[in-house]
Each structure stands twice: as structure tokens, then as C-alpha cells.
Amino acid sequence: MKPTVHDIAREAGVSLATVDRVLNRRPGVRAATRERVEEAIDRIGFVRDVAAANLAKSRTYALAFVIPESDNSFMQALRDEVADARLRGALERTDIRLIAVPAFDEAALAQALDALIDNPPAGVAVVAIDAPAIQARMERLHEAGVAVVTLVSDLAASGRDHFTGIDNLAAGRTAGSLMGRFLSSRAGAVAVIAGSLRLGDHRDRLTGFSERLGEIAPTIRLLEVMESQDDPARVEALLNSAFRDHPDMIGVYNLGAGNRGLVAALTQTTGEAPVAIAHELSPLTRKALEDGLIDAILNQDPGHEIRSAIRVLKARADGLPVIAAQERIRIDIFLKDNLP
């Protein structure tokens, strides 16, 4: 006969209610007791049919997505994908809540996470700011038995269960390789615009870009990174100032958002156009590629990221492994010649 939950309770010396909390990763169980139950599960070889159990109980997964609210087209696309996922909730047995917080606002993000700690769902996906206060709150969610996924920007030290997003170090290195090849053996300056270096994804892209460009194009001088808070007007102002101060500027890498400002600044340049590389394919950047203002776009699929986060949160809530190959988010490279 197959082992049952009664066998687990007897082997671990706990109540059936405690076994149920451990199996369903709910809070309210001390770490030592949870460990004793998990050891009992291993000893007796209990294998849970999660799908059947959830179907029998008509389980619904309460999930929360915490995403910045701004005119950043990619963040808007993420919010739209969450809204679509909410409409599929009945079919996928999910109850999804979208919590929008002001971009780069540590206090607002901390407040949103505090509310989730007080009333924990089964899983939380969050675009994380790298700050001790945010890390501490994510750790508390994880310790309470909540599945935690970082979305787009990672915060590995928080103990999160999974990161859903592209390899941002590889994205930066890819941009560096493209920039070096486009510029060939030319000498001059390259400007880099970041949204904020408090975001792990922006720091990783900068690191990868700087390292790779230095390896293949030693004649290029990298200017000090400029932070724009992903504000298009600030991107435009920073670039216009850089063009004035550095007449030998031959390249621009916008590793964050605010591409409207990038396009506006490039439109105003005179003489030989600088090589421009940016992130996220949108109607604006598509037209800029077609017009020759931008040379390459690195893109990630927001739909894949939201679907992946939902799969991971449900799997973690059930104590199941994540299928790494299915959840790998790829980096797409678009030039004028291969636009979809």
C-alpha cells in the first residue's frame, strides 16, 4: 500500500493538521517541526499527487504581482500580461492581484510588501529594488512559507525561490559585443544611460557591457554612466549634454527604459550618427530601427515572464521542482533586417 498522510503524522509524531500545513507550504509550523515532517516523508517514501489533491480540494492559488507603475513600456506590458492572466484565473485556478507601486520608490515597495506579510498569499512576484529594507521583507515572506519570485530584476541575497528574467550580465555582454563590432576599430567615446544602479538588472547589464567592450574595443573610451530614473525627458537632457561635452561620442547604450528620450536626442544630432543600442522592442523602437536611428534592440518577452512566474509560484507553493529549461527567458536581438 502507498503511504498516506496518516502514516506521515504517525511517523513524525504530529497532527494531521500539521502535516497538511507542511504539504501545502502554509505558515504556522515551526522550522524544527517542518523539518521533522519532511524527514518522515522521505523515510516512508510518500509521493503526493499534487494535481489530484488540488483538484479534489478545488484549490485556488492566491498570487500577488508587485510591479512599478510608470510610463515605461516594458513595465506597462508586464502589467497588461498580469491583467490577462487574471482573466484566465478560473481556468488556471489562480486568484491574481496586481499591486502597482511608484517606480524606484523604496518606501512604497516596502509598504506593499508589509501588507503582504500581514496577509500572506501563496506566492509573490516582485520587481525588486536592491535595498536592505526590501531584502529583509522578502526574507520574511519566504520564512512565512510564501513562494517568492523576483521578476526582471533579481535580489538573490533575499532567499527568493526563483528569478524570472533574462540573464542581464549576458545581455550587457551581448550589447558590448554588438557595439564593438558596429564601431570596428574606431576611436572615441561611448555613453551609457541606466535607469538606476539600485536595480540589479541595470548593474549587471552595465558590468557585462563594460567588460565585453573593453575586451574587444580597447580604443573606445567609456563615459561615466548616467542615471535617468527611466524618465524620457531626463534621458534626452543627459544625452544632449553628453553630445555637447564629448564631440568624439560615437556610441550610445541605453540599458534601461526612457527610449523616447533616446530617440529625441538622436534625432537632434548632426554629422555622423552614433551607434545606438537599446532594450525592448516597441512601436517607438521599431520605427527607430527602420529609420536607422537605433542599430540594435535587445528584447525579452513579457508574456513569457509572467506565465513563467505563475508556473514557478504554483510549483513552489506545492513543493514541486521547477523545470529550468521551460522557465529560461531568452534574449532576442533585433536589427532593421530581422524585425518580426
Side-chain angles (χ1 to χ4, degrees):
M1 293 179 60
K2 292 182 179 180
T4 68
V5 290
H6 294 273
D7 298 321
I8 299 172
R10 188 163 44 250
E11 179 73 14
V14 299
S15 68
L16 285 172
T18 298
V19 173
D20 180 70
R21 288 192 187 96
V22 173
L23 287 174
N24 289 293
R25 296 177 64 84
R26 289 199 293 269
V29 181
R30 291 184 302 170
T33 303
R34 186 180 297 276
E35 184 177 350
R36 194 162 74 248
V37 172
E38 290 173 348
E39 288 174 351
I41 290 170
D42 289 339
R43 279 198 303 275
I44 68 176
F46 176 82
V47 178
R48 186 182 184 212
D49 187 342
V50 174
N54 287 341
L55 187 61
K57 294 187 294 184
S58 299
R59 179 182 183 185
T60 296
Y61 298 83
L63 308 178
F65 281 76
V66 187
I67 298 176
E69 185 171 33
S70 68
D71 63 357
N72 178 331
S73 61
F74 183 71
M75 291 300 164
Q76 180 60 59
L78 287 177
R79 295 194 298 271
D80 290 345
E81 292 292 342
V82 172
D84 288 345
R86 290 180 65 185
L87 297 177
R88 302 192 301 269
L91 294 174
E92 298 179 355
R93 302 196 316 279
T94 56
D95 179 10
I96 296 175
R97 196 158 37 120
L98 173 61
I99 302 170
V101 296
F104 308 110
D105 191 330
E106 179 184 333
L109 178 55
Q111 185 176 12
L113 295 177
D114 281 338
L116 292 171
I117 292 167
D118 292 339
N119 186 22
V124 172
V126 56
V127 179
I129 294 174
D130 191 352
I134 304 305
Q135 178 176 321
R137 285 161 171 79
M138 291 171 62
E139 288 171 352
R140 287 175 60 192
L141 279 169
H142 192 263
E143 289 167 0
V146 177
V148 179
V149 165
T150 48
L151 190 64
V152 181
S153 183
D154 197 11
L155 191 53
S158 66
R160 51 74 174 143
D161 290 277
H162 188 77
F163 167 58
T164 298
I166 61 173
D167 181 335
N168 285 293
L169 188 63
R173 289 186 64 84
T174 300
S177 289
L178 290 169
M179 183 68 74
R181 284 170 168 76
F182 285 143
L183 292 175
S184 186
S185 59
R186 293 172 61 190
V190 168
V192 179
I193 305 284
S196 171
L197 295 182
R198 298 176 69 202
L199 297 179
D201 57 330
H202 288 200
R203 285 201 311 273
D204 286 347
R205 291 176 189 179
L206 174 62
T207 297
F209 181 77
S210 303
E211 289 177 350
R212 186 58 181 146
L213 191 62
E215 290 167 1
I216 65 173
T219 60
I220 290 173
R221 186 176 85 263
L222 199 61
L223 301 179
E224 184 176 354
V225 64
M226 297 175 280
E227 296 184 70
S228 69
Q229 303 297 302
D230 286 344
D231 176 11
R234 184 162 172 77
V235 170
E236 181 180 1
L238 287 169
L239 279 178
N240 284 339
S241 177
F243 282 126
R244 285 194 303 270
D245 296 342
H246 304 280
D248 65 337
M249 203 164 84
I250 55 176
V252 177
Y253 175 38
N254 185 28
L255 59 80
N259 283 324
R260 193 165 66 249
L262 170 67
V263 171
L266 292 172
T267 303
Q268 299 169 46
T269 59
T270 58
E272 186 174 3
V275 170
I277 298 173
H279 283 257
E280 317 317 339
L281 186 65
S282 67
L284 174 80
T285 55
R286 171 188 286 272
K287 186 173 189 310
L289 275 172
E290 292 171 341
D291 293 345
L293 286 172
I294 292 179
D295 296 271
I297 289 289
L298 304 184
N299 192 63
Q300 53 188 315
D301 183 348
H304 187 186
E305 295 195 11
I306 297 301
R307 292 190 298 272
S308 175
I310 291 170
R311 284 193 299 267
V312 170
L313 289 173
K314 290 171 69 175
R316 288 306 195 199
D318 288 330
L320 297 177
V322 172
I323 303 172
Q326 184 181 24
E327 311 309 341
R328 187 174 296 115
I329 309 298
R330 71 186 187 192
I331 302 169
D332 292 317
I333 304 171
F334 291 115
L335 310 177
K336 179 178 181 178
D337 310 288
N338 69 334
L339 282 169

